[in-house]
Amino acid sequence: MNISDAATQTGLPAKTIRYYEEVGLVTPTRNTNGYRVFGEAELHKLTFLARARALGFSIEDCRTLLALYEDQSRASSDVKRIARTHLDEIEAKIADLIAMRDTLSHLVQACAGDDRPDCPILKGIETTSVSKA
Amino acid sequence: MNISDAATQTGLPAKTIRYYEEVGLVTPTRNTNGYRVFGEAELHKLTFLARARALGFSIEDCRTLLALYEDQSRASSDVKRIARTHLDEIEAKIADLIAMRDTLSHLVQACAGDDRPDCPILKGIETTSVSKA
DNA sequence: CTTGATCTTCCAGTCACTGGAACCTCTATC
DNA sequence: GATAGAGGTTCCAGTGACTGGAAGATCAAG
């Protein structure tokens, strides 16, 4: 299986797959012509990576998760710790974004949005701070 | 006022202030010794930038907002359009993160997190996809 | 044999900083 | 005047995770 088929199968761009090889996440074999060949195992890994990335795990987290995924004697606590940490980061980001959204949506609502120069948004940016929870 | 005072006043790192000058957002004058000098106006701009960045506006958005902020004949609709677009992006990010969080928190809850290798998180990454709203 | 699609590598750019090196300037103390 | 330390300057490189594009090899079809 060539790279474009692997891309189609996994939903990842070919460029991204090459990048994953570059950083050592996958190691497809090579044909005599130099083309990458993706077998079952590599395809499986790529799918795993695509899903883990979609869940927001960093490349380094993915590297660790992939190692645990392949290690039949892993402890599930190792996986859970990584996931929990990541979950906390996601929660923190959500909280940040919600604070931003709340502040900004108030400002947007207060702005007439017409031809006049008077603008509560600009005034708000001048004076309002985003209050983190 | 030197850069470290400006940094203290605005809450921005000195490095960041230098960067803002590099990209043309502020233009402090210079002392005979080459040190940057920040007056009222530049300090005001830096504060505005710090707040706008805290609201998640990009540097390019900040550039536009700053121009509008300084333009006494601006139309508030120009500002509102930028803010609304940004607000939509924030909403989209929140939705993405919430989808991630929901998927991931289910997996974390399902995982025993002990010494055994059986791990619903890894299984979940294998099979679950993040469902966007 | 030619065309066009697909593959390869390599380099540069993205965004908004951040770290660090090398060097200059100011202020205070001896 | 020498010196130490704090603070300023520039410039270069790195971050994360790709992404775009150039230049060139290879393949499949007609």
Side-chain angles (χ1 to χ4, degrees):
Chain A
M1 180 180 279
N2 282 348
I3 197 165
S4 64
D5 297 315
T8 307
Q9 292 276 326
T10 60
L12 293 168
K15 275 266 179 188
T16 300
I17 296 175
R18 288 195 194 99
Y19 172 73
Y20 287 170
E21 184 190 17
E22 196 190 316
V23 299
L25 289 175
V26 288
T27 47
T29 51
R30 296 292 180 128
N31 230 325
T32 43
N33 59 12
Y35 286 20
R36 287 167 183 81
V37 180
F38 295 86
E40 276 290 312
E42 297 305 307
L43 209 61
H44 215 140
K45 281 208 236 175
L46 285 174
T47 306
F48 184 91
L49 285 169
R51 300 250 171 79
R53 291 286 302 131
L55 284 170
F57 285 102
S58 72
I59 289 290
E60 287 316 304
D61 277 349
C62 285
R63 193 189 305 282
T64 309
L65 288 173
L66 208 49
L68 291 169
Y69 178 65
E70 309 228 286
D71 175 9
Q72 295 304 318
S73 70
R74 80 221 155 202
S76 69
S77 61
D78 290 339
V79 181
K80 188 164 184 173
R81 189 169 10 84
I82 294 168
R84 258 241 69 90
T85 301
H86 179 49
L87 193 51
D88 289 348
E89 288 164 7
I90 291 175
E91 298 279 14
K93 270 187 207 163
I94 290 174
D96 277 3
L97 286 172
I98 284 176
M100 277 186 206
R101 181 194 61 187
D102 290 350
T103 304
L104 195 54
S105 74
H106 282 311
L107 295 178
V108 167
Q109 273 167 38
C111 179
D114 55 20
D115 290 344
R116 289 171 299 169
D118 181 56
C119 181
I121 296 173
L122 292 179
K123 276 192 198 132
I125 294 176
E126 243 189 300
T127 57
T128 309
S129 62
V130 181
S131 59
K132 295 194 182 182
Chain B
M1 180 180 277
N2 282 348
I3 198 164
S4 64
D5 296 316
T8 307
Q9 292 277 325
T10 60
L12 292 168
K15 276 266 181 190
T16 300
I17 297 176
R18 289 195 193 99
Y19 172 73
Y20 287 170
E21 185 189 16
E22 196 190 317
V23 299
L25 289 175
V26 289
T27 46
T29 52
R30 296 293 179 127
N31 231 325
T32 43
N33 60 13
Y35 285 20
R36 288 169 182 82
V37 180
F38 295 85
E40 276 290 312
E42 296 306 306
L43 208 60
H44 215 140
K45 281 208 237 175
L46 285 174
T47 307
F48 184 91
L49 285 168
R51 299 248 171 80
R53 291 286 302 131
L55 285 169
F57 286 102
S58 73
I59 289 292
E60 286 316 303
D61 277 350
C62 286
R63 193 189 303 283
T64 308
L65 289 173
L66 208 48
L68 291 168
Y69 177 66
E70 309 228 287
D71 176 9
Q72 294 304 318
S73 69
R74 81 222 155 203
S76 70
S77 62
D78 289 339
V79 182
K80 189 164 183 173
R81 188 167 13 83
I82 295 168
R84 258 243 67 90
T85 301
H86 180 46
L87 193 51
D88 290 348
E89 288 165 6
I90 292 175
E91 297 280 14
K93 270 188 207 162
I94 290 173
D96 276 4
L97 286 172
I98 284 176
M100 278 186 205
R101 181 195 59 187
D102 290 350
T103 304
L104 196 54
S105 74
H106 281 312
L107 295 178
V108 167
Q109 273 168 38
C111 179
D114 55 20
D115 290 345
R116 289 171 299 170
D118 181 56
C119 181
I121 296 173
L122 292 178
K123 276 192 198 133
I125 294 175
E126 244 189 300
T127 57
T128 307
S129 61
V130 181
S131 60
K132 296 194 179 180

